[in-house]
């Protein structure tokens, strides 16, 4: 009996491609089958459809510009010739180089797409994922030339699914798009995901002569080296912008920009997902896993797998959404060659993309020096026997004293980010709006502090988090709170009270109601927390996709800038970065992924000169001098968190994360570090980073477009080369002569 079942499963795999059941991990792994009732549909008879044999050499040029040449063959594969580097990138790797590659993965590598789908008509065997490709689905490809490229129609005849992929050259880059209205599903088959040109640029490990890697969007950027043996042979699955909290069980990664890339010797490309990024995952597969090729591809998701809860006790089953996403999908490919073929060259193209699409411009060189970003912590509540009591850490008068002392020490200009300033202090939950906390001095004292700061040439920003709320007159959970796909209200307990997750539409409404109150205080702007996560909302009265949620955050930031002047936020996710003047806590630390083993400053290189950004607070660094050097290496601005009082007083409040912040204890160290920092990076604040490299083990150089180079030495020995000496755990600034 067991033998018979195995034979039947093998036959199904041969006919329908790779089959895997609904789950939340690697789509080529196995999970227990689950049942899902659906309307039955007429089955497709694969034997009645003839396989189409395509000529792999049938390439025709369909577009050409000054930089690129685009060719398409009759199977729908593409090749792009980079004229500057005289190099051809292709979606059909030469599988003859791997004679042992046969069967499923041979046909996957030979296919211009991979398609994940479910067969909702099969009720008795359970709902399963199937991955299909050009050959096993007996796909009929139609190629039609269009202006600047071609329109490819893929008709998966044995599956009953059809879709189009449009390839075009646009002003020096390749555009690949999948129009949503071109997708046709039939026979109970429902698309879960499409991988367009999954093996585009695929490289065999032994084909790399000098240097090669895949760039993945983990934190600030990370590399999967092609010539190294990995500790763990696994794929990197980078869910763009992390998991959607409204989808229970969805895995996520710390991913804040929708781009990836590949380098082979003197040639590289950068791919930017510009439409459909909120429902996309970057899949990077090293050589040795499935094939001998290194390959990296976007996975466009059209239906979310999720856990359908059927009881309050947690029982349920894994399934997929019935409704397919209607977003169009579009991705750009930029190509680099020569000395620009590395992650710095890729970042330069991403910078140009941000300037084009988000209107970002170069920071104006005002000659005032490098600003100090200073978070002042006002205070927070401590639980009491009958009612909470407020614990002040920095009153508004004390904040004025801190600014005065820092200016006398030669620090400035100063951008103040005031946290825990509103009634109740730091509660990380709405309403963080006036009135200001009475024990800090109230509205009058806050307005007075703002005026004094402006007179010194400083700026004052107030912190707010509009992504969560507690019950109040403006927020009614039954009407406003976010609901997940199971209809559950998302909430949690913190500081003894229930906090609810705000949909982005509610965050926008609440800010619109309160922006006038902020305006009356005369502040220079706001900095927002919580925008680093973007969720769907399944509340029937106010449904929204992740893309719609991101659009509401963008509207909120635009309103804040129009009414108040400036805006900032934490982390710097790409969907809000164009609306920011500064970024707090940009991830500039080391990476810890076992496959993407090398962290690189892709994002800092891309945005330096466009927006200020900081790393960890200088007085709360985990590794002291090393983190300071990383901030210098990556072009970050100085940022500290101070209190006037001893932070030990906050140990029973939400401010218990602060362990060393007293102004009197940090004034001298801060002033000395700021002076050193300003002398180093004050010259390059508005400059673009043009290069980043490792000169020796533990020694790195960052080059700027104004001729300045900064060399950082992380070693405990002196580094000397070409007349340049860098002391242990120190840095040196090299200015171009003339």
């Amino acid at each position: 009996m067991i033998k018979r079942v195995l034979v039947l499963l093998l036959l199904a795999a041969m006919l329908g491609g790779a089959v895997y059941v609904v789950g939340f991990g690697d789509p080529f792994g196995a999970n227990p089958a689950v049942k899902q009732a659906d309307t039955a549909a007429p089955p497709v008879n694969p034997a009645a459809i003839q396989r189409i044999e395509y000529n792999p050499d049938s390439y025709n040029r369909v577009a050409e510009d000054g930089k690129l040449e685009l060719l398409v063959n009759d199977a729908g594969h593409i090749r792009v010739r980079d004229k500057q580097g005289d190099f051809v990138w292709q979606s059909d790797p030469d599988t003859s180089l791997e004679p042992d590659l046969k069967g499923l993965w041979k046909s996957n590598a030979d296919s211009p797409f991979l398609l994940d789908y479910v067969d909702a008509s099969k009720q008795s065997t359970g709902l399963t994922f199937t991955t299909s490709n050009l050959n096993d689905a007996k796909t009929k490809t139609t190629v039609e030339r269009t202006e600047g490229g071609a329109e490819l129609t893929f008709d998966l005849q044995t599956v009953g699914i059809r879709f189009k992929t449009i390839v075009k050259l646009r002003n020096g880059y390749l555009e690949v798009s999948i129009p949503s209205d071109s997708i046709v599903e039939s026979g109970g088959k429902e698309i879960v995901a499409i991988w367009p040109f999954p093996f585009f640029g695929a490289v065999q490990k032994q084909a790399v002569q000098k240097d090669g890697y895949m760039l993945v969007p983990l934190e600030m950027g990370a590399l999967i080296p092609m010539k190294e043996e990995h500790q763990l042979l696994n794929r990197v699955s980078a869910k763009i912008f992390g998991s959607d909290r409204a989808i229970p069980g969805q895995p996520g990664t710390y991913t804040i920009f929708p781009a990836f890339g590949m380098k082979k010797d003197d040639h590289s490309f950068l791919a930017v997902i510009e439409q459909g990024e909120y429902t996309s995952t970057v899949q990077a597969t090293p050589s040795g896993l499935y094939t001998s090729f290194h390959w990296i591809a976007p996975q466009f998701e059209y239906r979310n797998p999720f856990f359908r809860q059927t009881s309050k006790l947690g029982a349920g089953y894994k399934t997929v959404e019935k409704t397919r996403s209607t977003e169009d999908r579009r991705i750009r490919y930029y190509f680099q060659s020569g000395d620009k073929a590395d992650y710095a060259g890729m970042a330069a193209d991403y910078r140009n993309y941000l300037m084009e699409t988000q209107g970002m411009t170069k920071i104006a060189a005002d000659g005032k020096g490098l600003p100090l970003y200073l978070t002042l912590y006002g205070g927070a509540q401590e639980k009491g026997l009958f009612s909470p009591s407020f614990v002040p850490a920095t009153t508004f008068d004390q904040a004025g004293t801190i600014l005065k002392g820092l200016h006398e020490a030669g620090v400035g200009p100063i951008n103040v980010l005031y946290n825990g300033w509103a009634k109740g202090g730091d509660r990380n939950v709405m309403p963080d709006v006036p009135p200001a906390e009475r024990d800090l001095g109230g509205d009058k004292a806050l307005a007075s502090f703002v005026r004094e700061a402006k007179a010194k040439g400083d700026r004052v920003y107030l912190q707010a988090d509009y992504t969560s709320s507690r019950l109040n007159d403006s927020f009614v959970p039954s009407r406003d709170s976010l609901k997940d796909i199971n209809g559950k209200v998302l909430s949690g307990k913190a500081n003894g009270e229930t906090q609810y997750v705000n949909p982005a539409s509610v965050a926008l409404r609440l800010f619109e109601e309160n922006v006038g109150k902020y305006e009356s205080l005369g502040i220079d702007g706001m900095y927002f927390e919580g925008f680093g996560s973007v969720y769907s909302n399944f509340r029937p009265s106010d449904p929204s996709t992740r893309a719609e949620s991101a659009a509401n955050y963008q509207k909120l930031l635009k309103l804040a800038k129009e009414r108040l002047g400036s805006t900032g936020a934490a982390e710097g996710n790409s969907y809000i970065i164009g609306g920011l003047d500064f970024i707090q806590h940009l991830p500039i630390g080391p990476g810890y992924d076992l496959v993407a083993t090398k962290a690189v400053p892709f994002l800092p290189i891309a945005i330096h000169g466009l927006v200020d950004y900081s790393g960890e607070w200088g007085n709360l660094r985990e590794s002291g001098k090393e983190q300071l050097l990383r901030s210098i290496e990556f072009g970050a601005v100085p940022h500290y968190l101070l209190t006037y009082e001893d932070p030990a007083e906050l140990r029973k409040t939400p401010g218990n994360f602060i362990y060393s912040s007293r102004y009197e204890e940090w004034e001298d160290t801060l002033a000395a570090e700021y002076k050193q920092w300003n002398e180093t990076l004050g010259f390059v604040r508005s400059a673009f980073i043009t290069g980043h490299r490792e000169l020796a083990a533990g020694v790195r150089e960052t080059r700027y477009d104004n001729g300045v180079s900064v060399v950082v030495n992380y070693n405990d020995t002196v580094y000397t080369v070409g007349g340049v000496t860098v002391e242990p755990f120190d840095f040196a600034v090299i200015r171009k002569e003339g």
Side-chain angles (χ1 to χ4, degrees):
M1 178 65 183
I2 295 176
K3 183 176 181 182
R4 182 182 178 187
V5 171
L6 291 174
V7 171
L8 290 174
L9 288 175
L10 179 60
L11 179 60
M14 292 173 62
L15 293 176
V19 180
Y20 58 98
V21 293
V22 174
F24 301 97
D26 191 323
F28 301 105
N31 295 297
V34 293
K35 293 185 177 181
Q36 170 72 27
D38 197 5
T39 305
V44 176
N45 181 9
I49 302 173
Q50 186 175 358
R51 182 182 296 275
I52 300 175
E53 298 295 336
Y54 294 102
N55 179 6
D57 298 322
S58 58
Y59 276 96
N60 291 296
R61 184 173 60 199
V62 296
E64 185 175 14
D65 60 21
K67 296 181 179 180
L68 304 172
E69 182 181 19
L70 174 62
L71 301 95
V72 177
N73 75 358
D74 57 7
H77 274 294
I78 62 172
R79 291 184 178 179
V80 180
R81 185 169 74 89
D82 179 359
K83 295 181 179 180
Q84 294 175 315
D86 193 22
F87 185 80
V88 176
W89 294 93
Q90 58 192 72
S91 66
D92 55 335
D94 187 355
T95 53
S96 67
L97 298 174
E98 189 177 353
D100 294 332
L101 182 62
K102 299 176 182 178
L104 171 64
W105 278 102
K106 170 78 165 58
S107 64
N108 281 345
D110 286 336
S111 179
F113 65 85
L114 296 178
L115 185 140
D116 304 330
Y117 68 93
V118 294
D119 188 344
S121 68
K122 293 184 178 180
Q123 302 177 44
S124 59
T125 58
L127 188 63
T128 61
F129 281 171
T130 302
T131 296
S132 196
N133 58 50
L134 181 85
N135 291 317
D136 64 40
K138 298 183 179 179
T139 304
K140 179 181 179 181
T141 302
T142 303
V143 180
E144 295 184 14
R145 292 197 181 191
T146 60
E147 183 179 355
E151 183 177 279
L152 316 173
T153 301
F154 298 111
D155 184 358
L156 286 70
Q157 298 179 94
T158 63
V159 177
I161 290 176
R162 185 172 70 250
F163 69 96
K164 291 182 179 180
T165 300
I166 300 173
V167 291
K168 288 186 176 182
L169 296 185
R170 291 187 181 275
N171 194 27
Y173 64 86
L174 170 69
E175 179 186 272
V176 176
S177 61
I178 302 177
S180 179
D181 60 10
S182 74
I183 297 174
V184 176
E185 301 169 315
S186 63
K189 308 300 192 301
E190 298 176 346
I191 291 178
V192 175
I194 297 176
W195 310 46
F197 306 117
F199 282 80
F200 183 78
V203 177
Q204 281 193 306
K205 178 180 176 180
Q206 60 268 31
V208 178
Q209 300 298 316
K210 295 187 296 184
D211 187 21
Y213 49 72
M214 293 183 286
L215 170 73
V216 292
L218 299 180
E219 301 191 7
M220 66 174 180
L223 305 182
I224 303 176
M226 290 183 179
K227 299 187 75 172
E228 294 181 8
E229 296 297 330
H230 302 285
Q231 298 180 46
L232 179 65
L233 192 57
N234 202 358
R235 158 183 287 152
V236 171
S237 295
K239 176 72 175 175
I240 302 299
F241 306 133
S243 62
D244 185 344
R245 194 171 172 184
I247 309 293
Q250 186 178 80
T253 50
Y254 191 16
T255 301
I256 62 177
F257 61 91
F260 61 91
M262 176 175 282
K263 169 180 169 63
K264 179 192 175 185
D265 297 329
D266 295 327
H267 312 282
S268 65
F269 73 77
L270 173 76
V272 182
I273 305 173
E274 64 171 338
Q275 193 168 6
E277 65 270 38
Y278 303 97
T279 50
S280 295
T281 298
V282 172
Q283 302 282 5
T285 308
S287 172
L289 183 64
Y290 309 129
T291 75
S292 66
F293 291 100
H294 295 281
W295 54 288
I296 186 168
Q299 182 186 17
F300 293 147
E301 294 140 2
Y302 289 87
R303 287 181 171 87
N304 280 300
F306 71 100
F307 183 80
R308 170 68 75 188
Q309 189 172 334
T310 57
S311 77
K312 294 182 179 180
L313 298 177
Y317 55 89
K318 294 177 181 178
T319 185
V320 294
E321 292 179 278
K322 292 299 299 178
T323 303
R324 189 184 77 234
S325 168
T326 58
E327 292 179 295
D328 292 336
R329 311 303 168 106
R330 187 168 65 245
I331 185 168
R332 295 186 183 190
Y333 288 85
Y334 296 92
F335 302 91
Q336 305 82 34
S337 59
D339 58 1
K340 295 182 179 180
D342 58 12
Y343 56 82
M346 298 178 198
D349 278 327
Y350 189 57
R351 177 197 305 133
N352 292 334
Y353 170 81
L354 291 173
M355 295 175 72
E356 173 195 339
T357 60
Q358 298 202 30
M360 300 184 75
T361 57
K362 210 168 190 179
I363 296 173
D366 55 15
K368 295 181 180 179
L370 201 65
L372 168 71
Y373 282 81
L374 178 64
T375 294
L376 294 178
Y377 194 88
Q381 286 185 339
E382 178 181 318
K383 283 186 180 180
L385 182 60
F386 299 106
S387 61
S389 59
F390 186 79
V391 180
T394 310
T395 67
F396 302 128
D397 286 344
Q398 290 170 340
T401 300
I402 291 175
L403 291 195
K404 180 181 178 182
L406 290 176
H407 278 290
E408 290 175 350
V411 177
I414 302 173
N415 292 341
V416 176
L417 316 181
Y418 222 121
N419 199 347
W421 60 274
K423 183 179 179 181
D426 179 17
R427 302 172 80 176
N428 288 322
V429 63
M430 281 293 296
D432 279 340
V433 296
E437 170 57 44
R438 183 176 58 185
D439 288 345
L440 297 179
D443 284 353
K444 286 187 177 180
L446 174 56
S448 176
F449 167 68
V450 171
R451 288 193 297 270
E452 291 176 11
K454 286 187 174 183
K456 294 182 176 69
D458 300 331
R459 293 171 173 264
V460 178
Y461 302 86
L462 299 181
Q463 180 267 355
D465 185 348
Y466 277 87
T467 63
S468 59
S469 288
R470 63 181 181 273
L471 179 63
N472 59 74
D473 293 340
S474 299
F475 182 88
V476 180
S478 61
R479 178 196 66 194
D480 297 326
S481 61
L482 184 145
K483 282 190 174 183
D484 70 12
I485 197 169
N486 287 314
K488 181 181 178 181
V489 170
L490 296 186
S491 64
K493 286 284 187 179
N495 305 322
E497 57 188 351
T498 302
Q499 297 182 3
Y500 300 90
V501 178
N502 289 347
S505 59
V506 172
L508 175 60
R509 173 176 62 81
L510 291 173
F511 183 72
E512 289 172 339
E513 293 173 358
N514 291 296
V515 64
K517 299 176 183 178
Y518 297 117
E519 203 171 23
S520 67
L521 294 171
I523 59 174
D524 295 280
M526 303 285 297
Y527 80 97
F528 299 93
E529 295 180 351
F531 288 177
S533 298
V534 60
Y535 308 134
S536 306
N537 184 21
F538 290 89
R539 178 176 288 280
S541 60
D542 185 27
S544 61
T545 64
R546 296 182 90 190
E548 291 166 338
S549 296
N552 279 323
Y553 286 153
Q554 293 165 358
K555 292 177 184 177
L556 191 157
L557 290 171
K558 182 180 179 181
L559 177 62
K561 183 168 285 193
E562 290 173 349
R563 296 284 294 272
L564 303 174
S566 299
T567 58
E571 298 179 339
N573 293 58
S574 69
Y575 50 83
I576 58 172
I577 199 169
L580 302 179
D581 296 289
F582 62 89
I583 300 167
Q584 180 185 18
H585 299 314
L586 188 76
I588 57 175
Y592 299 102
D593 193 90
L594 293 177
V595 180
T597 54
K598 185 177 181 180
V600 294
F602 171 84
L603 192 56
I605 293 172
I607 65 176
H608 191 278
L610 298 177
V611 60
D612 286 333
Y613 53 88
S614 67
E616 183 56 86
W617 289 303
N619 54 298
L620 297 180
R621 302 184 191 115
E622 294 180 1
S623 55
K625 188 69 173 180
E626 183 179 337
Q627 284 187 310
L628 170 63
L629 292 178
R630 275 205 298 269
S631 293
I632 297 292
E633 178 190 352
F634 301 148
V637 295
H639 189 187
Y640 297 80
L641 183 153
L642 296 182
T643 57
Y644 193 83
E645 306 292 350
D646 188 340
E649 300 296 323
L650 299 167
R651 64 187 180 279
K652 295 182 180 180
T653 77
N656 58 11
F657 67 95
I658 307 172
Y659 55 85
S660 179
S661 62
R662 194 172 186 178
Y663 165 64
E664 289 184 352
E665 298 173 359
W666 278 96
E667 179 184 10
D668 293 342
T669 300
L670 188 157
E673 284 192 354
Y674 170 80
K675 181 180 179 181
Q676 187 182 33
W677 211 313
N678 190 39
E679 289 175 351
T680 303
L681 297 182
F683 296 97
V684 298
R685 182 190 175 206
S686 61
F688 289 157
I689 296 177
T690 57
H692 180 267
R693 60 176 176 165
E694 190 168 49
L695 300 177
V699 182
R700 301 187 189 109
E701 178 193 44
T702 305
R703 300 190 303 275
Y704 294 86
D705 65 358
N706 62 356
V708 173
S709 295
V710 178
V711 179
V712 177
N713 181 10
Y714 292 93
N715 300 313
D716 57 5
T717 56
V718 175
Y719 173 78
T720 303
V721 66
V724 177
T725 298
V726 188
E727 297 298 322
F729 298 108
D730 204 350
F731 59 89
V733 180
I734 305 168
R735 295 181 177 86
K736 187 177 180 180
E737 295 183 2

